Amino acid sequence: MKNQTKLLSGLAAAMIALVAGPALAEPLFWSTQAKPVEESQKMRADVLSKFSGGVDYQASDEGPWRTRIEAELKAGKGTITVLGGLHGELSGLENNLVDLSAIDHVSIGDGLMQLGKLGTSEQKYIPWMQATYLMAADKKALQYLPQGADLNSLTYDQLIAWAKATAEATGGPKFGFPAGPKGLKHRFFQGFLLPSYTHSMVSNFRSAEAETAWNKFKELWQYTNPASTNYSFMQEPLLTGEVLIAFDHVARLADAFNKRPDDFVAFPAPAGPKGRAFMSVIAGVAIPKTAPDMDQAKALVSYMLKPETQVATLRATNFFPVVKTDLPADLPPSVKVSGPAITAMTEAKDALPTLLPMGLGDKGGQFNQVYVDTFERIILAGQDVKQVLNDQAEVLRSLMKDTKAPCWAPDAASDGPCPVN
């Protein structure tokens, strides 16, 4: 009798399932971001749990991530609803991504949206989250700002004038730069200074405009604390008062903001003749043409852009929002200090986003060394700017040919290796 009851229960359940039809699967969000177990769990529990029907968030290294999506594209059908990845990871898939132009993105800066077109006329991905580098200053230095200067829209000339005035008023150079062995100095030259004068990271490396940029940095170096050649993290000399104005990655300024949030301000990088260049670590969301449910996929992309979702993503990943939003009071002080500065920089009218180097394989360190060597020869050794740029341009050209790496923003797209003019 007991076995008969179990059998009838099983048959009833099967009949209900047949009538109701197959259960709808959660949309698969296939991502290269938030890979650590703790971050992935936060993405599922804190970021995506409020999406209607739930989301199956799966994070992977780039290799398996690309292998799976390419297999689905080749098969002409798939299970991936939404892709999440860095700009460089999504690049190359543009012919197989849905146009997202119709999705509301009004609160995302035009510069970031342009990156998401991946060189096409369509919106191939929509920016999802970002990290970057910023300027920081002790509030005691604000009194030395040039008359009429706006902290959120400084030029390099104004930064130099500010550093000079601060040095004269305080009895010594107080600009700080991460020029130490483990400092991220190369990112400043690659993504900020040179593009601001040349609209290029690679092609115009030895142009007349590049000479101007390096000569401007020579001016700034006069008012830079000599101990900068030992600095790797600028938060420490800011806290000790060795420097009053500094540049660094947001994560390397965080301690200063967290320990003394009322004493420091964050602000955008300066602008040059070609714009306010800044290096972004941009992650985007895209929909493959093989997504099983386009309406569901677009709804999920829209959900990721909601201000509340963006804040939840910040908590889960420490990547900042790409949309305009007020940050809640219970976030760490470093987030509250950095957030508005990042927004001001990315949404500036003269914003010029630049990207991390791409396509270099295991030669990324050699690429960075070109900029480090250029800095050391021009700034530290005082060698002739034009001669150094000519020499280093040949090293750079050889590297680009060896790796066959095509150009990335802000350089114009190239067929084959990015040219060094």
Side-chain angles (χ1 to χ4, degrees):
M1 184 70 178
K2 189 174 181 181
N3 289 337
Q4 186 177 14
T5 302
K6 284 184 177 180
L7 178 60
L8 290 173
S9 297
L11 289 171
M15 290 178 67
I16 292 172
L18 286 172
V19 173
L24 292 176
E26 291 182 337
L28 174 58
F29 191 150
W30 185 233
S31 174
T32 61
Q33 302 304 294
K35 286 182 292 185
V37 173
E38 183 180 351
E39 288 188 11
S40 291
Q41 290 174 343
K42 287 181 178 179
M43 283 296 296
R44 298 183 193 105
D46 302 334
V47 178
L48 296 163
S49 59
K50 294 182 180 178
F51 181 75
S52 179
V55 178
D56 180 15
Y57 183 84
Q58 298 293 333
S60 165
D61 290 333
E62 182 184 2
W65 177 86
R66 184 169 288 274
T67 297
R68 177 166 180 172
I69 182 57
E70 287 180 345
E72 293 194 1
L73 292 170
K74 185 176 181 179
K77 60 183 297 184
T79 59
I80 297 171
T81 298
V82 168
L83 288 168
L86 297 176
H87 174 92
E89 294 163 343
L90 293 166
S91 180
L93 296 173
E94 54 267 21
N95 292 335
N96 294 292
L97 300 177
V98 174
D99 183 11
L100 302 179
S101 300
I103 290 180
D104 181 16
H105 56 265
V106 68
S107 62
I108 302 177
D110 290 341
L112 292 182
M113 290 300 295
Q114 189 63 36
L115 293 177
K117 292 185 177 181
L118 293 175
T120 73
S121 60
E122 297 182 343
Q123 196 68 47
K124 295 300 186 177
Y125 77 76
I126 291 186
W128 166 27
M129 54 186 186
Q130 63 182 328
T132 189
Y133 302 70
L134 285 174
M135 302 292 296
D138 190 308
K139 289 181 180 178
K140 290 184 290 189
L142 298 181
Q143 60 187 307
Y144 310 122
L145 271 169
Q147 187 174 4
D150 180 348
L151 195 63
N152 283 325
S153 57
L154 291 177
T155 65
Y156 277 96
D157 285 335
Q158 288 174 326
L159 175 61
I160 293 167
W162 184 18
K164 178 182 179 181
T166 303
E168 292 172 348
T170 59
K174 291 294 188 293
F175 180 75
F177 187 70
K182 296 183 179 180
L184 298 174
K185 51 188 173 291
H186 51 288
R187 297 304 189 207
F188 175 78
F189 303 124
Q190 293 167 352
F192 293 80
L193 179 71
L194 292 179
S196 289
Y197 283 82
T198 68
H199 205 287
S200 167
M201 188 186 302
V202 176
S203 293
N204 297 330
F205 179 85
R206 63 170 162 192
S207 61
E209 292 83 1
E211 289 183 50
T212 300
W214 282 105
N215 281 316
K216 286 295 179 183
F217 193 76
K218 286 178 68 175
E219 290 183 51
L220 181 59
W221 192 254
Q222 297 177 72
Y223 312 110
T224 300
N225 190 319
S228 288
T229 52
N230 297 318
Y231 296 152
S232 293
F233 289 68
M234 294 312 306
Q235 56 200 12
E236 295 159 4
L238 279 169
L239 285 167
T240 63
E242 294 173 51
V243 304
L244 298 179
I245 310 166
F247 165 89
D248 212 339
H249 190 282
V250 290
R252 296 182 175 210
L253 297 169
D255 274 359
F257 297 145
N258 284 331
K259 290 178 178 178
R260 288 164 44 197
D262 295 332
D263 293 341
F264 298 105
V265 292
F267 53 99
K274 300 296 185 181
R276 192 172 306 278
F278 62 93
M279 179 172 277
S280 280
V281 182
I282 297 293
V285 281
I287 300 175
K289 290 183 177 179
T290 50
D293 186 331
M294 285 296 168
D295 290 338
Q296 185 184 53
K298 291 178 181 179
L300 180 52
V301 169
S302 295
Y303 175 83
M304 298 309 297
L305 303 180
K306 289 184 175 182
E308 58 269 29
T309 310
Q310 291 268 298
V311 171
T313 302
L314 168 60
R315 293 185 189 275
T317 66
N318 291 309
F319 269 65
F320 281 80
V322 294
V323 305
K324 292 180 181 177
T325 182
D326 294 326
L327 299 177
D330 61 345
L331 289 171
S334 60
V335 173
K336 290 186 283 186
V337 174
S338 300
I342 292 174
T343 299
M345 186 165 65
T346 59
E347 295 183 358
K349 291 181 179 179
D350 55 355
L352 177 58
T354 71
L355 298 175
L356 288 167
M358 299 188 303
L360 298 168
D362 60 359
K363 305 286 188 182
Q366 294 179 35
F367 181 85
N368 294 338
Q369 194 62 42
V370 170
Y371 296 83
V372 173
D373 290 347
T374 303
F375 161 73
E376 291 181 349
R377 290 181 61 183
I378 292 174
I379 305 301
L380 302 186
Q383 296 180 22
D384 179 73
V385 174
K386 188 170 185 176
Q387 182 61 54
V388 172
L389 292 183
N390 281 335
D391 292 346
Q392 294 301 122
E394 293 308 315
V395 178
L396 184 59
R397 175 184 284 118
S398 177
L399 182 61
M400 301 313 291
K401 286 184 177 179
D402 287 348
T403 60
K404 297 181 173 58
C407 294
W408 58 87
D411 283 286
S414 63
D415 291 325
C418 191
V420 180
N421 300 326

